C-alpha cells in the first residue's frame, strides 16, 4: 500500500516547455488535490477533483490543467512553463469520511 | 485574504522543553482544525486535529488547544525532541462545501536543539 505517489521528484524546465506531473493513489479515495508551496508560504490549492471525470479550479489555477479519468490518477499539466511556476508541488487525497488529507512526497520544479 | 494565520515563521526551543505553536483564524465559520508536520523533501503528514465542540485534544506528547472566542488555537509539544524539528502547518476545512478543501497557514519552522 504505497498511499500517494508522485513523479518525478525533481524537474528543471525551460521557459515555454510543457510537462505533466503525475499523481497516483491506491487508497481508493474520491477526493484528490494539487497544491503548490512557495518558500515561506503555505499550501495553495491549484485544482481538485471530487471523483473520476470531475475537476474544479482552486485558488491558483492559471497556467495549469488537470484531468481525472480514473479514481487512482490525477495528473497536473503545465502547458507553457513560466518562472513563476517554480515551486514544490504536492498531490493529496482524502477519503471523504474525515478532513485528514494524505500527501504525496512532492515534485520540485524549477523553470529557468 | 489569509483566513488562517501563523504569525511566527520560526521557533527554537531546547530539547525537553515545551514547544508552543500558534495559529489564528478570521473566519468564525471554521469548525474543525488540523495540524500537519512537514520534514524537508517530504509531503506534509497529519499530526492532530480538533473539533470546535472541544477546547482541547491530546495525543501523546501533542496537545491542541482551541479558544473560539479569541479565534486562536495552539499546538503544544511536551517534551520537545530533536526529531520534532519540522515545519508545522495549521489548517481548516473551508466551510459551506462538501469537497473537503483545506485552507493552510504559512507554517512555522520548529527547531529543537539538543
Amino acid at each position: 500500500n504505497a498511499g500517494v505517489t508522485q513523479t518525478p521528484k525533481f524537474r528543471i524546465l525551460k521557459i515555454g516547455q510543457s510537462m505533466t506531473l503525475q499523481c497516483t493513489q491506491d487508497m481508493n479515495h474520491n477526493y484528490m488535490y494539487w497544491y503548490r508551496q512557495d518558500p515561506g508560504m503555505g499550501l495553495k490549492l491549484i485544482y481538485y477533483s471530487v471523483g473520476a471525470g470531475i475537476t474544479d479550479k482552486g485558488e491558483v489555477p492559471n497556467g495549469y490543467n488537470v484531468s481525472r479519468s480514473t479514481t487512482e490518477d490525477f495528473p497536473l499539466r503545465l502547458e507553457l512553463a513560466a518562472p513563476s511556476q517554480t515551486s514544490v508541488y504536492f498531490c493529496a487525497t482524502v477519503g471523504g469520511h474525515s478532513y485528514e488529507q494524505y500527501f504525496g512526497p512532492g515534485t520540485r520544479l524549477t523553470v529557468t | 485574504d489569509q483566513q488562517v494565520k501563523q504569525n511566527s515563521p520560526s521557533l527554537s526551543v531546547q530539547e525537553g522543553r515545551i514547544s508552543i505553536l500558534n495559529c489564528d483564524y478570521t473566519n468564525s465559520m471554521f469548525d474543525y482544525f488540523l495540524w500537519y508536520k512537514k520534514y524537508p523533501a517530504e509531503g506534509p503528514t497529519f499530526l492532530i486535529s480538533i473539533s470546535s465542540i472541544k477546547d482541547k485534544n491530546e495525543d501523546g506528547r501533542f496537545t491542541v488547544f482551541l479558544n473560539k472566542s479569541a479565534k486562536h488555537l495552539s499546538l503544544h509539544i511536551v517534551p520537545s525532541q530533536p526529531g520534532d524539528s519540522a515545519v508545522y502547518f495549521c489548517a481548516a476545512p473551508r466551510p459551506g462545501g462538501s469537497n473537503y478543501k483545506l485552507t493552510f497557514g504559512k507554517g512555522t519552522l520548529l527547531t529543537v536543539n539538543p
Side-chain angles (χ1 to χ4, degrees):
Chain A
N1 190 340
V4 182
T5 58
Q6 292 183 239
T7 57
K9 290 193 187 309
F10 305 95
R11 183 73 185 267
I12 299 175
L13 279 183
K14 294 190 184 305
I15 295 171
Q17 287 185 321
S18 62
M19 76 165 292
T20 299
L21 284 69
Q22 301 291 347
C23 174
T24 300
Q25 54 106 353
D26 63 1
M27 307 173 81
N28 201 31
H29 286 173
N30 285 324
Y31 299 85
M32 296 188 76
Y33 309 85
W34 273 106
Y35 295 92
R36 59 177 287 172
Q37 186 195 8
D38 300 320
M41 302 296 289
L43 295 153
K44 297 291 186 184
L45 183 65
I46 305 171
Y47 270 96
Y48 68 99
S49 169
V50 301
I54 306 169
T55 63
D56 206 348
K57 296 178 181 178
E59 303 168 78
V60 289
N62 291 342
Y64 307 95
N65 274 302
V66 293
S67 59
R68 184 94 182 272
S69 57
T70 66
T71 299
E72 294 77 21
D73 299 303
F74 189 40
L76 178 71
R77 179 85 178 160
L78 283 71
E79 290 294 349
L80 289 170
S84 61
Q85 293 178 304
T86 294
S87 189
V88 182
Y89 292 84
F90 293 101
C91 178
T93 180
V94 70
H97 304 291
S98 78
Y99 290 109
E100 180 185 335
Q101 292 187 10
Y102 296 87
F103 285 80
T107 294
R108 181 174 294 275
L109 175 67
T110 301
V111 182
T112 61
Chain B
D1 177 25
Q2 194 182 3
Q3 300 188 52
V4 176
K5 300 178 183 179
Q6 294 177 259
N7 293 319
S8 298
S10 62
L11 174 68
S12 182
V13 300
Q14 286 299 118
E15 181 178 5
R17 305 295 292 269
I18 185 172
S19 295
I20 300 176
L21 296 100
N22 294 304
C23 179
D24 297 295
Y25 60 97
T26 57
N27 191 337
S28 57
M29 298 292 288
F30 286 153
D31 59 5
Y32 195 86
F33 302 89
L34 305 92
W35 284 93
Y36 280 83
K37 176 178 180 179
K38 184 186 177 306
Y39 292 119
E42 294 185 11
T45 55
F46 170 74
L47 186 59
I48 192 170
S49 62
I50 188 166
S51 165
S52 61
I53 63 173
K54 295 185 174 182
D55 53 17
K56 175 182 173 182
N57 189 26
E58 191 172 355
D59 183 1
R61 297 185 296 113
F62 302 91
T63 302
V64 57
F65 295 92
L66 175 61
N67 182 333
K68 288 184 293 246
S69 61
K71 295 194 183 70
H72 176 83
L73 61 155
S74 59
L75 175 68
H76 293 214
I77 307 173
V78 184
S80 301
Q81 299 174 354
D84 297 328
S85 297
V87 177
Y88 290 79
F89 292 99
C90 173
R94 301 177 195 193
S98 60
N99 47 36
Y100 300 91
K101 292 190 291 185
L102 297 177
T103 297
F104 286 85
K106 292 185 178 182
T108 297
L109 173 63
L110 172 66
T111 303
V112 180
N113 301 301

